[in-house]
Amino acid sequence: MALFAKPKNVNDTAPAQSQSEELGCPAFASLVETLEREPEHKYHILDLAAASGNHIEFFSRFRCRYHIGDVLHVLPDLSPPKEEEPDPDFTRILPLNMADKLDLILAWDGLNYLDKELLPQFSRHLIRQCNPGAWLHAFIYTRGDMAAQPMQFEVLSSDVMRRQATSGGAVGAPCYPQRVLEKLMPGFRASQSRLLKNGLQEYLFQVQEY
């Protein structure tokens, strides 16, 4: 079963898009404000990145259960199956066995690294574990190259983050327009979309009734 393949169009000598950079995140700030309006509500949050003390500390201000997905480093190596091979099993790659439905998924820049053909299947896997109206926060590259692996993000405040590349190589960014993203992510609709100065598009998706 060919689940893994080398990243496509990797330039090992090219610099990453940014080694370290602070960025404003107005959609994230709006999300935080929304969560703060219901301090007694218990939120169930899935972070697709590896465990981060920074992320956990930031969300500890809320009454929540914080789940660690630790799947972003796997996404660049997943490839569509060849003829007569089974599809990647996202229930094994990212087991979602929690009893409670999710209210928020933190995807960071991970959606850029999953093959376009696999994004609908991954989205359906996520949405099955979501409450109607749940949010998904993500950054999408809109131009040029991106780091060969998903970047590490650090939340500095509700409206400022720092991102840092984890490797020196670069790959071409998929540069998804919003209408294409929504088509590739059935059940998710963009409730906010903000183009940042560095070319990142910040999205806050919301799960539709299903």
Side-chain angles (χ1 to χ4, degrees), residues 37-79:
R37 292 192 196 111
E38 295 187 63
E40 299 304 315
H41 184 84
K42 185 173 183 180
Y43 296 99
H44 291 268
I45 300 173
L46 173 64
D47 188 339
L48 295 184
S52 164
N54 169 265
H55 299 169
I56 293 171
E57 180 181 2
F58 181 85
F59 282 96
S60 67
R61 69 185 65 188
F62 303 107
R63 186 170 177 263
C64 69
R65 178 163 291 181
Y66 202 87
H67 305 274
I68 306 298
D70 191 16
V71 73
L72 296 189
H73 66 288
V74 176
L75 300 185
D77 295 333
L78 293 174
S79 60

Side-chain angles (χ1 to χ4, degrees), residues 32 65 76 102 118 127 187 203:
V32 171
R65 178 163 291 181
L102 296 168
L118 299 179
I127 211 167
Y203 282 99

